[in-house]
Amino acid sequence: MTPLLNEAPECINQPGTWCYQVFQITHNEWLAASANWLIAKPLRIVLILLVAFVIRFLLHKLIDRVTTMPAGNGGKKLPAILRPLRERAPDILGPVVAERRRQRAKTIGSVLKSLTSFVVLGLASIYILGELGINLGPLLASAGVVGIALAFGAQNLVKDFLSGMFMMLEDQYGVGDVVDIGPATGTVESVGLRITTIRDVKGTVWYVRNGEVTRVGNSSQGYAIALVDVPLSYNADVERATTVLTEAARSAASTEPLSVDLLEEPEVLGVEKVTPESIELRLTVKVRPGRQWAVQRQLRAACLTALEESGFLSAATTAQ
């Protein structure tokens, strides 16, 4: 038998329920029957949101704590999140290293914050939809189809993002490094999850997508080699010229500012190349990363001056 429309709900006689409490206060059967929707569900939704935002806040505070550069030591102390990861930046780069570490930790922290927000708020949304009585099966299936479509449409963006993440974690290059990444060569000014900004020697700024970087040549890790090729005429005494070059290079290397950049003594390797105009002697020395070009210019000037004073004349130009 179908119950009458004005039949009182049974819950008004069940102490401890919201229906009973509302009926005791309002003596309204409709409000009592709707108490679950008007009071219980909104309170549960508010509680879910409150818990979600508290968890999100605590996780973000934890991420800030492990990604913040510790005070003191001029930026030499690593943020907690970077300590288990490989560190390739040499300390001799000075203030650039601190900026590189700060930016690396900040970028990783930004990714972790976005990930935790997505997970926490996503779970909260699912719980709220469940409270509203919405069937999540078809919704999740539709979301999966839409996600696949978006993944195909944004695959370049995903590729850039993943490449940037691995580049950050592996510390392939950072702010202040001199790199050759194919599309551009120069000094890295900023590193992001999607774009790397590089300024070349002419001052041009290049924006390179991380997903397009297939190989990286980094001139600022560990050490570098300064290489100087000195031209001589065919009738020059190579053995004597080698002695002159060795003495000139070692003399220049023992004085500042050149001595600060050198890690080993210069070495003359001998004849490197024979051209129709001249023969070339090669001089090499191990130097601090990123200082090879300045050292090459100073050594070249010292070597050419010594050769000229010793009477060696070259038919080749000295601007090499």
Side-chain angles (χ1 to χ4, degrees):
M1 182 176 180
T2 305
L4 299 175
L5 293 177
N6 59 354
E7 183 179 350
E10 295 181 1
C11 60
I12 63 175
N13 298 318
Q14 299 174 354
T17 63
W18 282 104
C19 176
Y20 177 82
Q21 298 296 333
V22 170
F23 184 76
Q24 293 299 316
I25 296 173
T26 63
H27 299 287
N28 187 300
E29 295 178 355
W30 182 85
L31 288 177
S34 304
N36 187 49
W37 276 96
L38 295 177
I39 299 177
K41 287 186 180 295
L43 285 178
R44 284 197 289 266
I45 291 174
V46 170
L47 181 61
I48 291 172
L49 290 174
L50 181 61
V51 172
F53 280 110
V54 169
I55 293 175
R56 177 176 174 270
F57 173 78
L58 293 177
L59 289 176
H60 282 198
K61 292 292 290 184
L62 177 62
I63 292 171
D64 286 337
R65 184 173 181 178
V66 299
T67 57
T68 301
M69 185 76 74
N73 272 355
K76 292 184 178 180
K77 290 184 178 179
L78 287 174
I81 197 171
L82 296 183
R83 291 169 192 168
L85 303 178
R86 186 173 182 179
E87 172 73 20
R88 290 193 174 97
D91 288 333
I92 55 178
L93 290 180
V96 174
V97 176
E99 173 61 21
R100 170 177 178 162
R101 291 168 176 169
R102 184 197 64 77
Q103 188 177 55
R104 185 183 177 201
K106 180 181 178 181
T107 304
I108 296 176
S110 176
V111 174
L112 292 178
K113 284 183 178 181
S114 299
L115 183 61
T116 54
S117 296
F118 176 78
V119 173
V120 172
L121 297 181
L123 290 175
S125 301
I126 292 176
Y127 280 114
I128 290 173
L129 292 176
E131 286 293 332
L132 296 176
I134 297 176
N135 187 0
L136 298 179
L139 184 63
L140 293 177
S142 301
V145 173
V146 173
I148 293 174
L150 290 176
F152 277 109
Q155 54 184 325
N156 286 335
L157 185 62
V158 175
K159 181 181 179 181
D160 295 340
F161 178 83
L162 293 178
S163 298
M165 274 299 300
F166 281 109
M167 180 272 297
M168 284 284 182
L169 293 175
E170 297 170 0
D171 195 25
Q172 297 176 10
Y173 56 84
V175 175
D177 282 351
V178 179
V179 298
D180 178 359
I181 59 176
T185 301
T187 303
V188 178
E189 290 197 339
S190 66
V191 179
L193 287 175
R194 196 179 72 87
I195 293 291
T196 294
T197 304
I198 296 177
R199 187 179 296 273
D200 64 18
V201 293
K202 296 180 180 179
T204 303
V205 178
W206 296 84
Y207 299 93
V208 183
R209 287 173 40 210
N210 294 329
E212 293 181 343
V213 179
T214 57
R215 52 96 172 164
V216 178
N218 196 327
S219 301
S220 304
Q221 289 181 352
Y223 66 89
I225 299 293
L227 185 149
V228 177
D229 289 333
V230 180
L232 294 173
S233 61
Y234 278 108
N235 59 356
D237 185 344
V238 175
E239 184 175 352
R240 180 166 169 263
T242 301
T243 302
V244 172
L245 286 177
T246 302
E247 293 176 353
R250 291 181 178 177
S251 175
S254 63
T255 59
E256 294 186 359
L258 198 59
S259 60
V260 178
D261 294 327
L262 269 57
L263 302 178
E264 294 180 355
E265 286 191 353
E267 180 182 4
V268 180
L269 302 182
V271 177
E272 174 62 24
K273 184 167 57 176
V274 178
T275 67
E277 295 82 15
S278 65
I279 60 176
E280 291 184 356
L281 297 183
R282 172 158 291 184
L283 168 72
T284 63
V285 61
K286 185 182 292 187
V287 300
R288 295 195 309 160
R291 296 295 300 167
Q292 58 267 42
W293 299 284
V295 171
Q296 285 172 182
R297 288 190 290 269
Q298 297 177 60
L299 281 179
R300 185 178 292 111
C303 290
L304 292 178
T305 300
L307 288 174
E308 184 179 0
E309 292 175 352
S310 300
F312 290 94
L313 299 176
S314 172
T317 59
T318 59
Q320 296 187 10

